[in-house]
Amino acid sequence: MARTQYERITTKQTLNRVKEERMPFDWSINPYRGCGHGCSFCYARAFQSFIGMGAEDEFQHHIFMKSNAAEALEKQLSSAARKFDHDIEAMRRSIGQVTIGTATDPYQPIESKEGITRECLKLLAKYRISTSITTRSPLVLRDLDILTQMENVSVNMSLNTLNGDIIRKLEPASPHPEGRLDTIHRLSAAGIRTGLFVAPVLPFLTDKESELRELLLQAKVRGVSFAMISLLRLSRDVKKWYIETLKHQFPEVVQPYRELYAQGAYAEEHYVRSFKSMAARLQNECELNGLTTEASAAGVSQSGTIGSGTSQVEGAQVEGARDQLRSVQNLVAPAQPRKLPQPAAPVSGDELMPDVEQLSFPF
C-alpha cells in the first residue's frame, strides 16, 4: 500500500470566485488539494494536471494542505468588511453564497489533525457568511459548536449507494454508508439543514431505480431536507483511472462503460434522458426535489395532499412512496449512542463575533 505524503503549501487567497453561471453559489473554499478518500471516479482528479501531476493514485496519496488558509481568508473578509464600513450585513449580502468542498473533501481524514476547515468555518461564522458544506465524512459533526451558531448554513452529505461493498472497492478510504446516514440524522436533529448529494450515480453499479429510491427514503427518515441526483461524468484523465479500477473490481462492466462513454466525458444521449427522467420521478415521489421547503410546497402542500399541479399518476407515485417511507421508518432502528468527534477546544464567543462588535460597549 502506498504511503500518503502530506505537503504544506501557502495560498494567496482562500475564497475563490466561481465563474460558472450555472453554479448555485458565488465563492468556493477548498482547504486541501487531493483527497485521502481516494474515490476512483472523482472529477477533481482532473485538476491535478493544472499543477503538473497525474489523476492516478497520486491524487489520494499526495495531499496538499493550505496551512495559511484561515489567515488568507481573514485577510479577504476583513478587507471586504472595510469596503462596507464594517457593515457586516451589507458585506454578507454582497459576498453571497460560499461553498466549502467543491474540489476536495474538506473533512477528509487529515482534517481531524490539522483543523484547517474548522478555522475557516469560524471566520465564515464570524462574518455571518451564507455557507454550504459538501462532504462524505462524519467528521463534520466535530464542528457542530460552530454550525449551530451560524445564521445560514447547510451541509450536503455525498452518498451514491447503500452498498458497502461498492463503496469499499471504489471509495477505498471513505466512510461507510451507515455512518453518513447517521451524520445526516445528527445534523438534522441539531437544526442544521442537510441535503443528500446522490453523486455521482455509477451506470451498471448504482443506477437501479429501486436501490436509489431506498437510499432517498433512508436519508429522508433521518431528516434530510432535499436531494440532488447527478450522473457520472468522466473526463479523459479520470476515465483512464476509473476504467483501470473497474478492471480489478468489476471487470464485467468495463466493456459496457466503454460503449456508454464512447463519445467522451458524458454517457450516450438515450441513457442520459432515461436517467434524468428516473431521477426527477424519484425526487418527486420522495418529496426531495432539491428545492427549498417553500418552493416545493407548490407541488405538495404542507398538509401532505397533492397540489393541483400534480397529475393523478404522479400523485399515486407520491402516495406509494409515502407508504414505503412509513415501512422504512418502522425498519430503521433508533440511532445508537455514539461518541461524537470533539474539537480540541470549543469555539469561544469572541471568535464568532466581528471585531467591530467586540469594540462596542453599552452607554
Side-chain angles (χ1 to χ4, degrees):
M1 175 181 273
R3 182 177 180 180
T4 302
Q5 175 184 354
Y6 296 99
E7 183 175 343
R8 297 184 186 279
I9 59 174
T10 57
T11 182
K12 292 182 179 179
Q13 60 183 37
T14 299
L15 271 179
N16 293 290
R17 171 74 75 177
V18 176
K19 298 179 180 179
E20 176 54 64
E21 294 181 357
R22 293 176 298 177
M23 293 294 100
F25 48 89
D26 306 288
W27 300 86
S28 68
I29 291 178
N30 290 288
Y32 302 91
R33 181 184 287 275
C35 183
H37 289 155
C39 302
S40 57
F41 44 74
C42 183
Y43 64 88
R45 287 179 178 272
F47 301 159
Q48 295 289 87
S49 61
F50 299 159
I51 56 173
M53 300 177 68
E56 293 80 23
D57 214 25
E58 202 169 27
F59 177 78
Q60 179 183 359
H61 294 296
H62 191 159
I63 310 298
F64 294 90
M65 307 178 299
K66 300 177 183 178
S67 56
N68 71 323
E71 290 82 355
L73 179 59
E74 175 77 84
K75 184 176 181 180
Q76 286 180 277
L77 292 177
S78 61
S79 176
R82 287 195 297 273
K83 290 180 181 178
F84 287 89
D85 196 25
H86 295 281
D87 184 337
I88 302 301
E89 179 61 23
M91 184 204 77
R92 183 190 68 80
R93 290 197 302 268
S94 174
I95 289 178
Q97 178 82 23
V98 172
T99 294
I100 308 177
T102 59
T104 184
D105 198 314
Y107 287 99
Q108 59 181 286
I110 191 61
E111 169 62 18
S112 64
K113 176 183 177 182
E114 294 295 319
I116 300 174
T117 299
R118 179 174 172 82
E119 293 305 313
C120 290
L121 197 60
K122 288 179 184 178
L123 291 167
L124 294 172
K126 175 180 176 179
Y127 287 92
R128 299 170 189 156
I129 305 299
S130 298
T131 303
S132 175
I133 301 167
T134 300
T135 183
R136 280 174 154 75
S137 176
L139 181 58
V140 66
L141 294 171
R142 177 201 63 188
D143 295 339
L144 271 176
D145 58 333
I146 304 173
L147 295 171
T148 51
Q149 297 188 59
M150 297 181 74
E151 296 181 12
N152 187 5
V153 65
S154 63
V155 177
N156 309 309
M157 184 58 60
S158 290
L159 179 61
N160 60 6
T161 180
L162 294 174
N163 188 320
D165 182 59
I166 292 177
I167 292 286
R168 193 52 54 232
K169 290 179 178 178
L170 298 180
E171 307 177 22
S174 67
H176 189 275
E178 189 57 41
R180 300 188 220 180
L181 290 174
D182 181 64
T183 301
I184 289 173
H185 172 74
R186 292 175 181 272
L187 288 168
S188 300
I192 307 299
R193 185 168 186 263
T194 61
L196 176 69
F197 278 10
V198 187
V201 174
L202 308 175
F204 315 119
L205 294 172
T206 70
D207 61 347
K208 290 182 180 178
E209 184 170 352
S210 61
E211 294 180 3
L212 288 172
R213 180 183 290 105
E214 178 69 12
L215 171 57
L216 292 177
L217 292 174
Q218 291 283 353
K220 179 153 186 163
V221 165
R222 289 165 174 82
V224 77
S225 301
F226 64 94
M228 301 294 287
I229 307 174
S230 62
L231 188 61
L232 176 68
R233 177 182 179 275
L234 289 175
S235 63
R236 184 179 61 182
D237 291 341
V238 178
K239 182 188 291 186
K240 180 180 178 182
W241 177 254
Y242 182 59
I243 293 298
E244 285 300 314
T245 303
L246 291 179
K247 286 180 181 179
H248 293 284
Q249 304 293 356
F250 300 99
E252 69 279 5
V253 302
V254 170
Q255 188 55 36
Y257 261 96
R258 285 175 171 161
E259 295 172 4
L260 186 63
Y261 286 86
Q263 301 303 313
Y266 298 94
E268 61 94 9
E269 187 176 352
H270 177 75
Y271 180 95
V272 171
R273 285 200 304 268
S274 176
F275 172 81
K276 287 183 176 180
S277 175
M278 175 185 68
R281 181 168 61 251
L282 288 174
Q283 287 175 298
N284 184 56
E285 287 180 18
C286 300
E287 299 174 18
L288 292 171
N289 60 6
L291 302 176
T292 63
T293 301
E294 292 78 10
S296 64
V300 181
S301 72
Q302 293 298 327
S303 63
T305 58
I306 307 303
S308 59
T310 307
S311 71
Q312 289 184 342
V313 173
E314 290 172 327
Q317 290 173 335
V318 171
E319 289 301 333
R322 288 194 183 119
D323 290 339
Q324 190 171 348
L325 177 60
R326 284 189 283 270
S327 298
V328 171
Q329 288 172 328
N330 292 332
L331 291 173
V332 173
Q336 296 298 314
R338 296 180 184 175
K339 187 176 180 180
L340 294 176
Q342 294 296 318
V347 67
S348 69
D350 287 347
E351 287 180 284
L352 303 188
M353 183 182 295
D355 295 340
V356 65
E357 295 181 10
Q358 292 184 41
L359 294 173
S360 64
F361 55 90
F363 288 91

